[in-house]
Amino acid sequence: MAKNNSLHPNSNGETDDSPNMLVYRKMEDVIARMQDEKNGIPIRTVKSFLSKIPSVFSGSDIVQWLLKNLCIEDQVEALHLGTLMAAHGYFFPISDHVLTLKDDGTFYRFQTPYFWPSNCWEPENTDYAVYLCKRTMQNKARLELADYEAESLARLQRAFARKWEFIFMQAEAQAKVDKKRDKIERKILDSQERAFWDVHRPVPGCVNTTEVDIKKSSRMKNPHKTRKSVYGLQNDIRSHSPTHTPAPEAKQPTEEELREQIKFGQAQLDRHRLKMSKVAESLLSYTEQYSDYDPFLSTPDPSNPWISDDTTLWEMEASKEPGQTRVRRWGFGINEVLKDPVGREQFLKFLESEFSSENLRFWLAVQELKRRPIREVPTRVQEIWEEFLAPGAPSAINVDSKSYDKTTQNVKDPGRYAFEDAQEHIYKLMKSDSYSRFIRSSAYQELLQAKKKKSKNLF
Amino acid sequence: MGEMEQMKKEAETLKTQIEAARKAANDTDMASAASGVAPAPRVQLKTRKTLKGHLAKIYAMHWSTDNRLMVSASQDGKLLIWDSHSGNKVNAVPLKSSWVMTCAYAPSGNLVASGGLDNMCTVYNLKTPVIKTVKELDAHTGYLSCTRFLSDTEILTASGDTTCALWDLETGKQKTVFLNHVGDCMCLSLSPDMNSFVSGACDSLAKLWDIRDGQCKQTFQGHTSDINAISFFPSGNAIITGSDDCACKMYDLRADQEVICYQDAALNSGVTSLALSLSGRLIFAGYDDFNCNIWDSLKGEKVGVLSGHDNRVSCTGVPPDGMCVCTGSWDSFLKIWN
């Protein structure tokens, strides 16, 4: 995968761009292709009444182009992608404030790169006020303010009452400049300016695509890249292009950090790496084994409570009577037995019948210890030690000498993980010994073959 | 050569050697290995329930282990506990700070937690006659992006201050701090055996941590932007990540590298959240473009779409029994699908 330099994390691990920049670049790549002279969307000027509609293409043109050029399967997906790009303001319907894509003859126009979201626009309300004010000075019917715009203007007039004269003057100056432009050019620029504001001050009820996740917005990394001033009212702090900002000075690692990096790197290099073919095999067999239990792949028995509204399945799960499918799952591995409370119960029952339950009881006790409140831990550690490991313990378990020594030490300063080594050893023992005996036992086999108990009428 | 220069060189050499070792283990790619497997059924899921009640953007949701109850957090300043099957709101917890980013349900069902721009993780007891704040875990110096309970006595947090932490709920203090990320931590996922967890951060890396010794055991690279979502594969041997670079990736822990990438030319928005079906075969990934896309985890193909939300999908979750998938959105609704 080619790594675009301005996107590759620098040695601090931080990219220079806002979280959305990657997405904007992707959309802009598509736009560039759409605007390509040879293979892009055909743009034309349409005659209408006494005037011309310059530089437009239809919604269907866009949908067709997307279907043909982007490996999109169906019209729904094309509309979805197109609407996304319209909502971000890359192209817009010339006669509507609502930025969606329609698969019909509705006319659309491209947005000028000056107004693209990748320029990190955060236009201020003063600019919006100038814009709305300017619109009222242009007495063409098509430029009349929509209801929500008129409301916004009224609100802004109240908010900026003190500097309204200044705003009015700016609007007048803008309107004067606009009048001098070529008529066709004006049409295009007006519509692009309106589309810009449709993105940043959307119609009430429409999604505001400039909304940023609060997790990202609190990372104000590059305030100097934000463009705030549309009409030159504030000092535009930005002095250089957003795509060529020099990277912030990379922090040099300290000696300590380098040592850690090397140690970590060494450990990584030494680790055993499983071959991809084995990994694939393992993933495939896991999903295969569990597909019978995945309600998205196999229909649950008796029914999925979300579809049938029948909660029998949940009641069965809660009951102590394990169904056949549940029992079969215990055979997948020791973890499945230990995970299921009924499984644990059956496993314990079987081991008790063989007078070899101390391993499982120890394992369960240690698991329970890890969930205890910290003040109860020291006493519990002592109890477990006495029961399972101390010389002459009533339920003595067999641990290797290394783990035994380590545990003896840990018990002197008891914490939640005092028995970790011993527990790991016992787990391995159970896995190879007790568990396999359980699965082969007649008790388990009977549960597996269990026929539905017929309720006997005793009276 | 000065000592620093020498060490830098050594670190670089190690990186190259590790890459080479990873390449050497790459004797096939996942897609070809999975070519023989029957394709996952084309999934056409329907909305079974729409949970209405929040008044603003929903930022997070988490299922309870009983497969019916769930907790959701919204910028309207509330945590809502739902009996999602009946659609009833069981409880409402008013939050001190409405800038909430995450919520979690304890496996016991007794506690829920939330956190956000207040930099704290607040734990509530649901079982007292009136819901009480049990603890306010206050030590992070950045926003709380994600939290998960290990039990009623221990909880994990991920924070915008680039650290993750394990807390003891009795003392309210941090027991272990996990330091290694250089960007804000955005998400975390517990391993099925609860001995380790993975975290994703804005430094575009995912890291595996040992809960007991607090060390970073492995680092996974490949994304080119913030990792917003992360989840363990149910076998515990692999992880799935979702990023602002519009892709999801699966990394295998034993192969120590990326196994497959879930990406589409038509997908032009970041991944916000993800959840896996019970067998791990299906990945439900929520995107900024208001949809949740369903991927076949083995073949890397898109097999379905959940569209119905009117704004960004911010959170997804599959209950432990895998019976459905829930999506939560900035449009203030939660939807249950299957």
Side-chain angles (χ1 to χ4, degrees), chain A residues 179-227:
Chain A
K179 275 203 178 76
K180 292 205 185 113
R181 283 195 221 276
D182 164 69
K183 217 163 83 168
I184 297 287
E185 202 190 316
R186 238 188 105 180
K187 267 197 193 159
I188 298 178
L189 288 173
D190 280 350
S191 67
Q192 288 172 332
E193 192 185 15
R194 188 186 75 176
F196 171 78
W197 287 110
D198 286 340
V199 170
H200 290 274
R201 298 289 186 276
V203 180
C206 283
V207 174
N208 185 340
T209 54
T210 62
E211 273 182 323
V212 184
D213 186 324
I214 50 171
K215 283 179 264 190
K216 316 277 177 168
S217 64
S218 32
R219 280 158 63 211
M220 278 301 293
K221 280 207 300 262
N222 282 309
H224 62 277
K225 274 169 75 176
T226 319
R227 293 213 69 169

Short mmCIF file of all heavy atoms in Angstrom, two decimals, chain A residues 179-227:
data_model
loop_
_atom_site.label_atom_id
_atom_site.label_comp_id
_atom_site.label_asym_id
_atom_site.label_seq_id
_atom_site.Cartn_x
_atom_site.Cartn_y
_atom_site.Cartn_z
N LYS A 179 -22.17 42.34 -8.77
CA LYS A 179 -22.93 42.90 -9.90
C LYS A 179 -22.05 43.09 -11.11
O LYS A 179 -22.50 42.96 -12.24
CB LYS A 179 -23.55 44.25 -9.51
CG LYS A 179 -24.87 44.16 -8.81
CD LYS A 179 -25.68 45.47 -8.95
CE LYS A 179 -27.05 45.36 -8.28
NZ LYS A 179 -27.02 45.46 -6.83
N LYS A 180 -20.78 43.36 -10.83
CA LYS A 180 -19.88 43.65 -11.94
C LYS A 180 -19.49 42.38 -12.70
O LYS A 180 -18.98 42.45 -13.82
CB LYS A 180 -18.61 44.33 -11.44
CG LYS A 180 -18.81 45.71 -10.89
CD LYS A 180 -17.51 46.52 -10.98
CE LYS A 180 -17.69 47.87 -10.32
NZ LYS A 180 -16.87 47.99 -9.11
N ARG A 181 -19.73 41.24 -12.10
CA ARG A 181 -19.30 40.01 -12.76
C ARG A 181 -20.16 39.69 -13.96
O ARG A 181 -21.31 40.10 -14.07
CB ARG A 181 -19.40 38.83 -11.80
CG ARG A 181 -18.30 38.78 -10.79
CD ARG A 181 -18.32 37.39 -10.15
NE ARG A 181 -18.09 37.44 -8.74
CZ ARG A 181 -16.88 37.49 -8.20
NH1 ARG A 181 -15.83 37.50 -8.96
NH2 ARG A 181 -16.75 37.54 -6.88
N ASP A 182 -19.60 38.86 -14.84
CA ASP A 182 -20.31 38.33 -15.99
C ASP A 182 -21.52 37.53 -15.47
O ASP A 182 -21.43 36.82 -14.49
CB ASP A 182 -19.34 37.43 -16.77
CG ASP A 182 -20.06 36.54 -17.74
OD1 ASP A 182 -20.59 37.07 -18.73
OD2 ASP A 182 -20.11 35.32 -17.49
N LYS A 183 -22.64 37.63 -16.15
CA LYS A 183 -23.89 37.04 -15.67
C LYS A 183 -23.78 35.53 -15.44
O LYS A 183 -24.23 35.01 -14.43
CB LYS A 183 -25.01 37.33 -16.69
CG LYS A 183 -26.36 37.59 -16.02
CD LYS A 183 -27.35 38.26 -16.92
CE LYS A 183 -28.05 37.23 -17.80
NZ LYS A 183 -29.24 37.78 -18.49
N ILE A 184 -23.18 34.86 -16.43
CA ILE A 184 -23.05 33.40 -16.33
C ILE A 184 -22.15 33.03 -15.16
O ILE A 184 -22.47 32.17 -14.34
CB ILE A 184 -22.46 32.81 -17.64
CG1 ILE A 184 -23.39 33.06 -18.82
CG2 ILE A 184 -22.16 31.34 -17.48
CD1 ILE A 184 -24.65 32.20 -18.79
N GLU A 185 -21.02 33.75 -15.07
CA GLU A 185 -20.07 33.49 -13.99
C GLU A 185 -20.77 33.69 -12.64
O GLU A 185 -20.57 32.92 -11.70
CB GLU A 185 -18.90 34.46 -14.12
CG GLU A 185 -17.63 34.01 -13.43
CD GLU A 185 -16.60 35.12 -13.40
OE1 GLU A 185 -16.43 35.78 -14.46
OE2 GLU A 185 -15.99 35.33 -12.35
N ARG A 186 -21.58 34.72 -12.60
CA ARG A 186 -22.28 35.03 -11.34
C ARG A 186 -23.20 33.91 -10.91
O ARG A 186 -23.28 33.54 -9.75
CB ARG A 186 -23.10 36.31 -11.52
CG ARG A 186 -22.71 37.38 -10.53
CD ARG A 186 -23.64 38.52 -10.60
NE ARG A 186 -24.54 38.50 -9.46
CZ ARG A 186 -25.49 39.40 -9.27
NH1 ARG A 186 -25.69 40.34 -10.16
NH2 ARG A 186 -26.25 39.34 -8.20
N LYS A 187 -23.91 33.36 -11.89
CA LYS A 187 -24.83 32.27 -11.58
C LYS A 187 -24.08 31.12 -10.91
O LYS A 187 -24.52 30.57 -9.91
CB LYS A 187 -25.47 31.75 -12.87
CG LYS A 187 -26.76 32.39 -13.21
CD LYS A 187 -27.52 31.57 -14.24
CE LYS A 187 -28.67 32.42 -14.78
NZ LYS A 187 -29.16 31.99 -16.05
N ILE A 188 -22.93 30.78 -11.55
CA ILE A 188 -22.17 29.65 -11.03
C ILE A 188 -21.64 29.95 -9.63
O ILE A 188 -21.81 29.16 -8.69
CB ILE A 188 -21.00 29.30 -11.98
CG1 ILE A 188 -21.56 28.89 -13.34
CG2 ILE A 188 -20.15 28.20 -11.39
CD1 ILE A 188 -20.51 28.58 -14.38
N LEU A 189 -21.03 31.14 -9.48
CA LEU A 189 -20.44 31.47 -8.18
C LEU A 189 -21.49 31.58 -7.08
O LEU A 189 -21.28 31.13 -5.95
CB LEU A 189 -19.66 32.79 -8.29
CG LEU A 189 -18.37 32.71 -9.08
CD1 LEU A 189 -17.77 34.09 -9.27
CD2 LEU A 189 -17.37 31.80 -8.39
N ASP A 190 -22.62 32.20 -7.42
CA ASP A 190 -23.70 32.31 -6.43
C ASP A 190 -24.11 30.94 -5.92
O ASP A 190 -24.29 30.73 -4.72
CB ASP A 190 -24.93 32.99 -7.05
CG ASP A 190 -24.78 34.49 -7.10
OD1 ASP A 190 -23.83 35.01 -6.48
OD2 ASP A 190 -25.62 35.15 -7.75
N SER A 191 -24.29 30.00 -6.88
CA SER A 191 -24.78 28.67 -6.47
C SER A 191 -23.73 27.96 -5.63
O SER A 191 -24.06 27.26 -4.66
CB SER A 191 -25.14 27.83 -7.69
OG SER A 191 -23.98 27.51 -8.43
N GLN A 192 -22.44 28.17 -5.97
CA GLN A 192 -21.39 27.49 -5.20
C GLN A 192 -21.30 28.07 -3.79
O GLN A 192 -21.10 27.33 -2.81
CB GLN A 192 -20.05 27.63 -5.92
CG GLN A 192 -19.98 26.77 -7.18
CD GLN A 192 -18.75 27.02 -7.99
OE1 GLN A 192 -18.20 28.12 -7.95
NE2 GLN A 192 -18.33 26.01 -8.74
N GLU A 193 -21.48 29.39 -3.72
CA GLU A 193 -21.44 30.02 -2.40
C GLU A 193 -22.61 29.53 -1.55
O GLU A 193 -22.46 29.23 -0.37
CB GLU A 193 -21.53 31.54 -2.59
CG GLU A 193 -21.21 32.33 -1.35
CD GLU A 193 -21.43 33.82 -1.58
OE1 GLU A 193 -22.09 34.18 -2.58
OE2 GLU A 193 -20.96 34.61 -0.76
N ARG A 194 -23.77 29.40 -2.19
CA ARG A 194 -24.94 28.94 -1.45
C ARG A 194 -24.73 27.51 -0.96
O ARG A 194 -25.06 27.15 0.16
CB ARG A 194 -26.19 29.02 -2.32
CG ARG A 194 -27.44 28.73 -1.52
CD ARG A 194 -28.66 28.67 -2.36
NE ARG A 194 -28.69 27.42 -3.11
CZ ARG A 194 -29.71 27.07 -3.88
NH1 ARG A 194 -30.75 27.88 -4.00
NH2 ARG A 194 -29.69 25.93 -4.53
N ALA A 195 -24.15 26.66 -1.84
CA ALA A 195 -23.90 25.27 -1.46
C ALA A 195 -22.94 25.20 -0.29
O ALA A 195 -23.07 24.36 0.61
CB ALA A 195 -23.35 24.49 -2.65
N PHE A 196 -21.96 26.10 -0.27
CA PHE A 196 -21.01 26.15 0.85
C PHE A 196 -21.75 26.37 2.16
O PHE A 196 -21.54 25.69 3.16
CB PHE A 196 -19.99 27.27 0.61
CG PHE A 196 -19.11 27.55 1.80
CD1 PHE A 196 -18.04 26.73 2.10
CD2 PHE A 196 -19.38 28.65 2.62
CE1 PHE A 196 -17.23 26.99 3.20
CE2 PHE A 196 -18.56 28.91 3.72
CZ PHE A 196 -17.49 28.09 4.01
N TRP A 197 -22.67 27.34 2.14
CA TRP A 197 -23.42 27.63 3.36
C TRP A 197 -24.41 26.51 3.68
O TRP A 197 -24.75 26.28 4.84
CB TRP A 197 -24.12 28.98 3.25
CG TRP A 197 -23.13 30.10 3.37
CD1 TRP A 197 -22.73 30.95 2.39
CD2 TRP A 197 -22.36 30.44 4.53
NE1 TRP A 197 -21.77 31.82 2.86
CE2 TRP A 197 -21.52 31.52 4.17
CE3 TRP A 197 -22.29 29.95 5.84
CZ2 TRP A 197 -20.64 32.12 5.07
CZ3 TRP A 197 -21.41 30.54 6.74
CH2 TRP A 197 -20.60 31.61 6.35
N ASP A 198 -24.87 25.78 2.67
CA ASP A 198 -25.77 24.66 2.92
C ASP A 198 -25.05 23.55 3.70
O ASP A 198 -25.68 22.77 4.41
CB ASP A 198 -26.32 24.08 1.61
CG ASP A 198 -27.38 24.98 1.00
OD1 ASP A 198 -27.94 25.80 1.74
OD2 ASP A 198 -27.63 24.86 -0.22
N VAL A 199 -23.74 23.50 3.53
CA VAL A 199 -22.95 22.51 4.28
C VAL A 199 -22.71 22.99 5.71
O VAL A 199 -22.85 22.23 6.67
CB VAL A 199 -21.60 22.25 3.57
CG1 VAL A 199 -20.69 21.42 4.46
CG2 VAL A 199 -21.83 21.53 2.26
N HIS A 200 -22.36 24.27 5.81
CA HIS A 200 -21.95 24.75 7.14
C HIS A 200 -23.10 25.28 7.99
O HIS A 200 -22.97 25.40 9.21
CB HIS A 200 -20.86 25.81 6.98
CG HIS A 200 -19.57 25.21 6.53
ND1 HIS A 200 -18.65 24.69 7.40
CD2 HIS A 200 -19.08 25.00 5.28
CE1 HIS A 200 -17.63 24.20 6.70
NE2 HIS A 200 -17.86 24.37 5.43
N ARG A 201 -24.20 25.63 7.34
CA ARG A 201 -25.41 26.05 8.07
C ARG A 201 -26.58 25.30 7.45
O ARG A 201 -27.40 25.88 6.75
CB ARG A 201 -25.63 27.57 7.94
CG ARG A 201 -24.50 28.42 8.52
CD ARG A 201 -24.48 28.39 10.03
NE ARG A 201 -23.51 29.31 10.61
CZ ARG A 201 -22.21 29.06 10.78
NH1 ARG A 201 -21.73 27.88 10.38
NH2 ARG A 201 -21.41 29.95 11.31
N PRO A 202 -26.65 23.98 7.68
CA PRO A 202 -27.63 23.17 6.94
C PRO A 202 -29.07 23.52 7.27
O PRO A 202 -29.35 24.07 8.33
CB PRO A 202 -27.32 21.74 7.37
CG PRO A 202 -26.48 21.84 8.58
CD PRO A 202 -25.87 23.20 8.64
N VAL A 203 -29.94 23.18 6.33
CA VAL A 203 -31.38 23.31 6.54
C VAL A 203 -31.75 22.56 7.81
O VAL A 203 -31.28 21.44 8.01
CB VAL A 203 -32.15 22.68 5.36
CG1 VAL A 203 -33.64 22.80 5.55
CG2 VAL A 203 -31.70 23.27 4.04
N PRO A 204 -32.57 23.15 8.67
CA PRO A 204 -32.96 22.44 9.90
C PRO A 204 -33.53 21.08 9.56
O PRO A 204 -34.36 20.96 8.66
CB PRO A 204 -34.02 23.34 10.51
CG PRO A 204 -33.78 24.67 9.93
CD PRO A 204 -33.16 24.47 8.60
N GLY A 205 -33.07 20.03 10.27
CA GLY A 205 -33.54 18.69 9.98
C GLY A 205 -32.55 17.93 9.12
O GLY A 205 -32.59 16.71 9.07
N CYS A 206 -31.65 18.63 8.45
CA CYS A 206 -30.65 17.93 7.65
C CYS A 206 -29.42 17.67 8.51
O CYS A 206 -29.13 18.42 9.43
CB CYS A 206 -30.21 18.79 6.46
SG CYS A 206 -31.42 18.76 5.17
N VAL A 207 -28.72 16.61 8.16
CA VAL A 207 -27.51 16.27 8.90
C VAL A 207 -26.43 17.30 8.64
O VAL A 207 -26.22 17.70 7.50
CB VAL A 207 -27.00 14.89 8.46
CG1 VAL A 207 -25.67 14.59 9.10
CG2 VAL A 207 -28.02 13.84 8.82
N ASN A 208 -25.74 17.69 9.69
CA ASN A 208 -24.63 18.60 9.52
C ASN A 208 -23.35 17.77 9.39
O ASN A 208 -22.86 17.21 10.38
CB ASN A 208 -24.54 19.53 10.74
CG ASN A 208 -23.47 20.59 10.58
OD1 ASN A 208 -22.56 20.45 9.76
ND2 ASN A 208 -23.57 21.65 11.36
N THR A 209 -22.80 17.68 8.18
CA THR A 209 -21.63 16.82 7.99
C THR A 209 -20.37 17.42 8.59
O THR A 209 -19.35 16.76 8.64
CB THR A 209 -21.37 16.54 6.51
OG1 THR A 209 -21.27 17.80 5.83
CG2 THR A 209 -22.46 15.72 5.90
N THR A 210 -20.43 18.68 9.02
CA THR A 210 -19.23 19.26 9.61
C THR A 210 -19.14 18.96 11.09
O THR A 210 -18.16 19.31 11.74
CB THR A 210 -19.20 20.79 9.43
OG1 THR A 210 -20.32 21.35 10.12
CG2 THR A 210 -19.27 21.16 7.97
N GLU A 211 -20.16 18.29 11.63
CA GLU A 211 -20.10 17.92 13.05
C GLU A 211 -18.98 16.94 13.28
O GLU A 211 -18.86 15.94 12.57
CB GLU A 211 -21.41 17.26 13.47
CG GLU A 211 -22.46 18.25 13.89
CD GLU A 211 -23.73 17.58 14.35
OE1 GLU A 211 -24.09 16.56 13.76
OE2 GLU A 211 -24.33 18.08 15.29
N VAL A 212 -18.17 17.20 14.28
CA VAL A 212 -17.05 16.32 14.58
C VAL A 212 -17.32 15.57 15.87
O VAL A 212 -17.90 16.12 16.80
CB VAL A 212 -15.76 17.15 14.72
CG1 VAL A 212 -14.57 16.24 14.93
CG2 VAL A 212 -15.54 18.02 13.50
N ASP A 213 -16.92 14.33 15.89
CA ASP A 213 -17.00 13.53 17.11
C ASP A 213 -16.23 14.24 18.22
O ASP A 213 -15.11 14.68 17.99
CB ASP A 213 -16.36 12.17 16.80
CG ASP A 213 -16.50 11.18 17.93
OD1 ASP A 213 -16.44 11.59 19.11
OD2 ASP A 213 -16.66 10.00 17.65
N ILE A 214 -16.84 14.37 19.41
CA ILE A 214 -16.16 15.13 20.47
C ILE A 214 -14.81 14.51 20.84
O ILE A 214 -13.92 15.20 21.31
CB ILE A 214 -17.01 15.29 21.75
CG1 ILE A 214 -17.58 13.93 22.20
CG2 ILE A 214 -18.10 16.30 21.54
CD1 ILE A 214 -18.24 14.01 23.55
N LYS A 215 -14.66 13.22 20.60
CA LYS A 215 -13.37 12.60 20.90
C LYS A 215 -12.29 13.18 19.99
O LYS A 215 -11.14 13.29 20.38
CB LYS A 215 -13.45 11.08 20.67
CG LYS A 215 -14.15 10.33 21.76
CD LYS A 215 -14.20 8.86 21.46
CE LYS A 215 -15.52 8.52 20.81
NZ LYS A 215 -15.75 7.07 20.70
N LYS A 216 -12.67 13.55 18.78
CA LYS A 216 -11.68 14.07 17.83
C LYS A 216 -11.53 15.58 17.96
O LYS A 216 -10.45 16.12 17.80
CB LYS A 216 -12.10 13.77 16.39
CG LYS A 216 -12.62 12.38 16.18
CD LYS A 216 -11.51 11.40 15.98
CE LYS A 216 -12.08 10.01 15.83
NZ LYS A 216 -11.11 9.06 15.36
N SER A 217 -12.64 16.25 18.27
CA SER A 217 -12.58 17.70 18.29
C SER A 217 -11.74 18.20 19.45
O SER A 217 -11.20 19.30 19.40
CB SER A 217 -13.97 18.31 18.36
OG SER A 217 -14.59 17.94 19.58
N SER A 218 -11.61 17.38 20.50
CA SER A 218 -10.79 17.85 21.61
C SER A 218 -9.31 17.73 21.31
O SER A 218 -8.47 18.18 22.06
CB SER A 218 -11.14 17.13 22.92
OG SER A 218 -11.56 15.82 22.69
N ARG A 219 -8.97 17.13 20.15
CA ARG A 219 -7.57 17.10 19.75
C ARG A 219 -7.32 18.29 18.84
O ARG A 219 -7.21 18.14 17.64
CB ARG A 219 -7.28 15.82 19.00
CG ARG A 219 -7.07 14.63 19.89
CD ARG A 219 -7.32 13.36 19.13
NE ARG A 219 -6.41 13.18 18.04
CZ ARG A 219 -6.70 12.55 16.92
NH1 ARG A 219 -7.88 12.07 16.72
NH2 ARG A 219 -5.80 12.41 15.97
N MET A 220 -7.20 19.48 19.41
CA MET A 220 -7.00 20.66 18.57
C MET A 220 -5.54 20.74 18.18
O MET A 220 -4.77 21.50 18.75
CB MET A 220 -7.41 21.92 19.35
CG MET A 220 -8.89 22.17 19.33
SD MET A 220 -9.53 22.36 17.64
CE MET A 220 -8.77 23.88 17.16
N LYS A 221 -5.16 19.94 17.22
CA LYS A 221 -3.73 19.85 16.92
C LYS A 221 -3.25 20.98 16.04
O LYS A 221 -2.15 21.45 16.19
CB LYS A 221 -3.45 18.52 16.21
CG LYS A 221 -3.35 17.36 17.18
CD LYS A 221 -2.48 16.27 16.63
CE LYS A 221 -3.02 15.74 15.35
NZ LYS A 221 -3.79 14.51 15.54
N ASN A 222 -4.07 21.38 15.07
CA ASN A 222 -3.59 22.36 14.10
C ASN A 222 -4.54 23.53 13.94
O ASN A 222 -5.15 23.69 12.89
CB ASN A 222 -3.36 21.69 12.75
CG ASN A 222 -2.07 20.90 12.75
OD1 ASN A 222 -1.04 21.43 13.12
ND2 ASN A 222 -2.15 19.66 12.36
N PRO A 223 -4.67 24.33 14.97
CA PRO A 223 -5.58 25.48 14.86
C PRO A 223 -5.16 26.43 13.74
O PRO A 223 -5.99 27.13 13.19
CB PRO A 223 -5.51 26.17 16.22
CG PRO A 223 -4.28 25.64 16.86
CD PRO A 223 -4.00 24.31 16.26
N HIS A 224 -3.89 26.40 13.40
CA HIS A 224 -3.45 27.34 12.38
C HIS A 224 -3.89 26.91 10.99
O HIS A 224 -3.74 27.65 10.05
CB HIS A 224 -1.92 27.53 12.42
CG HIS A 224 -1.17 26.26 12.13
ND1 HIS A 224 -0.93 25.32 13.10
CD2 HIS A 224 -0.65 25.77 10.99
CE1 HIS A 224 -0.26 24.32 12.57
NE2 HIS A 224 -0.08 24.56 11.30
N LYS A 225 -4.44 25.70 10.87
CA LYS A 225 -4.87 25.27 9.56
C LYS A 225 -6.33 25.60 9.28
O LYS A 225 -6.81 25.44 8.19
CB LYS A 225 -4.68 23.76 9.41
CG LYS A 225 -3.27 23.42 8.96
CD LYS A 225 -3.00 21.95 9.08
CE LYS A 225 -3.70 21.20 7.98
NZ LYS A 225 -3.36 19.77 8.05
N THR A 226 -7.06 26.04 10.32
CA THR A 226 -8.48 26.27 10.14
C THR A 226 -8.74 27.56 9.38
O THR A 226 -8.14 28.58 9.68
CB THR A 226 -9.16 26.37 11.51
OG1 THR A 226 -8.61 25.38 12.36
CG2 THR A 226 -10.65 26.17 11.40
N ARG A 227 -9.63 27.51 8.41
CA ARG A 227 -10.02 28.73 7.70
C ARG A 227 -11.32 29.21 8.33
O ARG A 227 -12.31 28.49 8.37
CB ARG A 227 -10.28 28.42 6.23
CG ARG A 227 -9.05 28.02 5.48
CD ARG A 227 -9.11 28.47 4.06
NE ARG A 227 -9.02 29.90 3.96
CZ ARG A 227 -8.83 30.54 2.82
NH1 ARG A 227 -8.75 29.87 1.72
NH2 ARG A 227 -8.76 31.85 2.77
#
